[in-house]
Amino acid sequence: MKHYINTVQTLLKIVDNKKTPKVIQLFVSCILYYLVDLLPPTITAGIISVLNQAKDFNKIWLFILIYIGVVLLYLIIKRWNLIIYSDLSFYYSDGIQQQLLEHVAEHNSIFDKISRGKIIDTYSEDIPNLIHILQSASLATAGLIQLGVVFFVFGFYNFFIAIIALCIQILYFYFMVNNSKHVSRHYEGVRKYKDKIVDIFNQLIINLKQVRSLNLIPNLNNKLNRYRESWRIQSTHRYKYITNRYCQIPAVVYFGKAILYIILAFLVFNHQITIDKFILLIGYFEITIKSAEDILEELLKLGDFNVRVNRVKSILDYTVDNNIDYGSIENDYIEGLVVFNHVNCTLQNRQVLTDITFKALPNEITTIVGYSGAGKTAVIDLLYRLRHIKSGSILIDDESIYNYSNKIYSSNVSGVFQKAFTFKMSIRDNLSLIDSDLNHQIAACKRVGIHKAIEKLPNKYNTIIDEDQRILTEGQIQKLAIARAILSKAEILLFDEVTSNVDTEATGDIIKIINDLKDDHTIIITTHKPEIMKISDQIIVMKNGRVVAKGKNSEVYKKSALYRELYNATYIATNSSDSEN
């Protein structure tokens, strides 16, 4: 029983206690309608008693009126229970989904430990079912109380009968609870392998074009088949125990019921109990059977729900030693001076940045260059506060970036990643995630040169963005992402290889946009394109997580062989590609 209590306690710890009064009402309503359910057999026994005496038929009308009152009371309590359940259902589902979403967003390294398949499956399937924990717990509690009352009635009329009925139920409970443990254990295995299947399927959907072009489906199916086989094994074992549960264990009750009925009949023939008491005890024993079945069914569900709630808890409990605690500074008047002072950073016990020192000034373009693995993206990640530094300091306007509140920081530091993302919703809705003012949206789109293209679409700003339909080109999506960054009104804009996936024409447009944006922003950009290097006010050259050269473009070109190598290699590659086209 402790196992089931822990399941409820785990759920209550996940959410706040604002709804505790409602939870109490849920339990009380279940207990009341289970107790009210005991009254009909008593009324039936009363009617039979009147008929046996054959004295006053009018007394039957009294029992009929009582019966109608009981039915109305039962329906009122049931309605009360359903209203409370509905309220709690929305509260728990919405609240925990929001909590999990925010937790995952705050811990970007969570996917290093927990698969995307598990998180997606938990979010979509487990969380909406958590409310059933309270419902099952309240029904099981009410059922146990009902059983206690029934056995008290049995004991009141005949102690020997009460002992027999109790032994039957104890034996039944023992076999069923033991069965529930096996069912829940294999359910956990089923969910484990389902997570792996969902994870691979999710990756397949995301990378469908590459999967098809490389003909990876057969090999992926082979891998999936291994997981499916493990899933089938767990499911088979689970169904075996479920079959025993419903087809073999109930025989205990049926045999026990036959023995009890024989004993009761014997007592009636020997005038030790009256026929109305016989009907009452038979009715109550039938209630104990149904009540026991209901309790055991709810306990079985609680076993499965224990797996669900622990999956949610395992995700919400995920933390990292260097988890970032946001400060409380609410200063929104940021100039945009960015300073790295001897910054060191590790990732999974590997040094990725060593002694990084540079300044990025307002109204200037600071460009970071280097081969893959040099540490460019790590610098950008630190500025997004996605990771924490090991030592040194990163300052914005002479204040540590970790001292700003999340709201202030995110409204002053924004940007665009290598592959711009959009949601499958209208252009306006995508932009409204930052600023819902249509005039502001149009102004931002005009500034990045995409407004005219949007106006030519059939539904203009209400056009749904769908990657499969290719309504917008890669370059246009990148421009839309820049417009979204502008709408944030951030003083500091970060661009991580924003031109790597677009054609030459779009690259030229984006370079003009970046050059224009520096008039009222601090621009920090990582790139391998010489066109962007040319317009930069400062070049930072990185190698193996270190800054090996920095300064103006012409100065760095003269003193850094690595920069010349990077500049010329990408320049030649770009010209060669253009000539082929």
Side-chain angles (χ1 to χ4, degrees):
M1 194 60 67
K2 185 179 178 181
H3 171 73
Y4 303 115
I5 294 172
N6 288 339
T7 301
V8 178
Q9 289 177 336
T10 301
L11 174 64
L12 295 177
K13 286 177 183 177
I14 289 175
V15 295
D16 57 54
N17 57 4
K18 290 180 182 178
K19 292 289 183 178
T20 299
K22 289 280 188 181
V23 173
I24 294 171
Q25 288 182 55
L26 184 70
F27 275 78
V28 170
S29 63
C30 284
I31 292 169
L32 287 177
Y33 78 69
Y34 262 72
L35 291 177
V36 170
D37 198 39
L38 292 174
L39 296 177
T42 306
I43 296 170
T44 303
I47 293 173
I48 292 173
S49 176
V50 171
L51 293 174
N52 279 338
Q53 294 173 11
K55 291 181 179 180
D56 189 358
F57 184 80
N58 289 329
K59 287 184 179 180
I60 291 180
W61 294 110
L62 175 62
F63 284 108
I64 296 297
L65 289 174
I66 294 173
Y67 179 77
I68 293 172
V70 167
V71 170
L72 290 174
L73 181 61
Y74 180 87
L75 294 175
I76 290 170
I77 295 172
K78 189 71 174 176
R79 178 178 174 81
W80 176 35
N81 175 267
L82 290 175
I83 291 172
I84 296 167
Y85 176 79
S86 177
D87 181 37
L88 288 173
S89 178
F90 291 123
Y91 179 78
Y92 274 67
S93 180
D94 295 349
I96 299 176
Q97 280 187 336
Q98 180 179 342
Q99 191 177 343
L100 187 137
L101 180 64
E102 291 173 353
H103 187 77
V104 171
E106 290 171 5
H107 297 81
N108 61 294
S109 62
I110 194 170
F111 298 112
D112 296 339
K113 298 292 184 181
I114 304 173
S115 73
R116 283 176 170 80
K118 179 176 180 177
I119 293 174
I120 292 170
D121 201 31
T122 299
Y123 185 87
S124 61
E125 183 172 340
D126 292 326
I127 292 178
N129 283 289
L130 291 185
I131 181 59
H132 298 315
I133 291 175
L134 294 179
Q135 182 75 336
S136 292
S138 60
L139 290 172
T141 302
L144 287 170
I145 292 172
Q146 187 188 59
L147 278 180
V149 172
V150 170
F151 285 123
F152 174 79
V153 173
F154 267 113
F156 178 78
Y157 286 109
N158 190 302
F159 185 75
F160 177 66
I161 295 296
I163 293 297
I164 293 175
L166 183 62
C167 288
I168 293 170
Q169 295 298 346
I170 288 174
L171 194 61
Y172 185 45
F173 265 81
Y174 171 78
F175 287 125
M176 290 294 262
V177 170
N178 188 55
N179 176 275
S180 294
K181 292 178 182 178
H182 290 291
V183 172
S184 297
R185 177 164 55 85
H186 289 296
Y187 178 70
E188 188 172 3
V190 167
R191 296 305 303 279
K192 174 185 174 182
Y193 290 106
K194 183 182 177 184
D195 287 342
K196 294 180 182 294
I197 293 169
V198 171
D199 199 36
I200 291 179
F201 187 74
N202 179 53
Q203 294 175 58
L204 187 152
I205 294 297
I206 292 172
N207 303 290
L208 187 58
K209 293 177 184 176
Q210 293 93 322
V211 169
R212 290 181 62 183
S213 64
L214 295 172
N215 193 30
L216 298 179
I217 294 292
N219 290 331
L220 280 174
N221 257 327
N222 289 335
K223 191 172 183 64
L224 281 169
N225 283 336
R226 290 196 293 273
Y227 291 141
R228 290 187 190 114
E229 181 60 27
S230 298
W231 177 88
R232 276 193 291 269
I233 290 171
Q234 293 294 328
S235 295
T236 300
H237 286 305
R238 184 169 185 264
Y239 287 128
K240 182 184 74 174
Y241 284 106
I242 288 175
T243 301
N244 291 341
R245 180 185 189 86
Y246 294 114
C247 300
Q248 295 179 19
I249 298 176
V252 173
V253 173
Y254 298 138
F255 284 119
K257 182 166 42 171
I259 294 170
L260 187 66
Y261 285 4
I262 291 170
I263 295 172
L264 285 172
F266 177 80
L267 294 175
V268 171
F269 274 104
N270 286 275
H271 306 290
Q272 295 182 24
I273 61 172
T274 60
I275 191 68
D276 57 308
K277 299 300 184 294
F278 173 81
I279 296 296
L280 178 65
L281 293 177
I282 288 292
Y284 274 174
F285 188 73
E286 291 293 340
I287 287 177
T288 66
I289 294 173
K290 184 179 184 306
S291 184
E293 288 175 349
D294 290 345
I295 293 168
L296 291 165
E297 191 65 27
E298 299 307 329
L299 293 180
L300 175 64
K301 292 177 183 177
L302 278 174
D304 287 352
F305 294 147
N306 181 63
V307 175
R308 292 182 186 274
V309 75
N310 281 323
R311 284 163 60 87
V312 175
K313 186 175 182 294
S314 69
I315 296 173
L316 293 176
D317 283 350
Y318 173 83
T319 55
V320 288
D321 294 336
N322 62 346
N323 190 34
I324 299 168
D325 293 322
Y326 299 128
S328 57
I329 292 178
E330 296 288 338
N331 173 31
D332 202 17
Y333 300 99
I334 291 177
E335 295 289 332
L337 173 62
V338 178
V339 178
F340 274 62
N341 282 326
H342 305 289
V343 170
N344 292 282
C345 178
T346 58
L347 177 60
Q348 296 179 347
N349 299 320
R350 180 174 61 87
Q351 188 85 9
V352 292
L353 295 176
T354 304
D355 197 30
I356 303 297
T357 300
F358 69 86
K359 288 184 180 180
L361 303 177
N363 312 118
E364 286 192 359
I365 299 172
T366 298
T367 299
I368 304 173
V369 299
Y371 285 115
S372 178
K376 307 185 298 296
T377 299
V379 171
I380 298 296
D381 285 349
L382 287 175
L383 285 170
Y384 277 120
R385 300 200 304 189
L386 297 176
R387 305 196 183 280
H388 205 292
I389 59 175
K390 182 180 180 181
S391 61
S393 62
I394 305 174
L395 309 176
I396 291 181
D397 291 358
D398 299 322
E399 189 70 57
S400 170
I401 63 171
Y402 303 112
N403 291 342
Y404 290 100
S405 70
N406 188 38
K407 179 181 178 182
I408 291 299
Y409 195 83
S410 61
S411 66
N412 281 279
V413 179
S414 186
V416 181
F417 289 91
Q418 180 175 350
K419 180 171 174 54
F421 78 93
T422 54
F423 292 100
K424 190 174 181 179
M425 55 178 69
S426 70
I427 294 171
R428 182 173 182 182
D429 285 343
N430 267 279
L431 296 174
S432 292
L433 294 171
I434 303 296
D435 187 342
S436 59
D437 189 305
L438 181 59
N439 292 327
H440 292 170
Q441 294 176 8
I442 292 172
C445 288
K446 283 182 177 178
R447 187 168 185 183
V448 300
I450 195 178
H451 174 69
K452 290 182 179 179
I454 294 173
E455 286 294 304
K456 291 178 181 178
L457 296 172
N459 296 314
K460 300 182 181 181
Y461 279 83
N462 291 319
T463 301
I464 303 295
I465 300 174
D466 190 335
E467 288 186 4
D468 295 331
Q469 294 181 11
R470 293 190 173 276
I471 294 169
L472 299 176
T473 65
E474 292 286 349
Q476 289 172 330
I477 290 176
Q478 202 69 291
K479 290 177 185 179
L480 192 65
I482 297 173
R484 189 168 54 192
I486 293 172
L487 284 171
S488 69
K489 299 180 177 63
E491 298 297 329
I492 300 164
L493 294 179
L494 311 175
F495 297 96
D496 188 9
E497 295 284 3
V498 289
T499 59
S500 63
N501 293 326
V502 300
D503 57 30
T504 304
E505 183 180 352
T507 297
D509 292 340
I510 291 172
I511 289 171
K512 291 176 184 176
I513 294 167
I514 293 172
N515 218 5
D516 170 65
L517 289 173
K518 86 168 186 177
D519 291 341
D520 49 3
H521 295 87
T522 301
I523 306 291
I524 299 177
I525 183 168
T526 67
T527 188
H528 64 277
K529 294 287 181 75
E531 299 95 325
I532 294 179
M533 299 177 197
K534 283 181 182 179
I535 65 167
S536 302
D537 298 285
Q538 179 183 205
I539 298 291
I540 309 290
V541 184
M542 295 189 67
K543 180 180 181 181
N544 297 328
R546 296 176 181 271
V547 173
V548 295
K550 59 184 176 182
K552 292 186 178 297
N553 179 47
S554 57
E555 295 172 358
V556 176
Y557 189 85
K558 290 179 182 178
K559 66 184 180 183
S560 173
L562 175 59
Y563 181 58
R564 290 194 298 273
E565 184 180 320
L566 289 165
Y567 186 95
N568 292 328
T570 51
Y571 181 78
I572 292 169
T574 302
N575 283 344
S576 173
S577 177
D578 291 344
S579 62
E580 288 176 7
N581 293 331

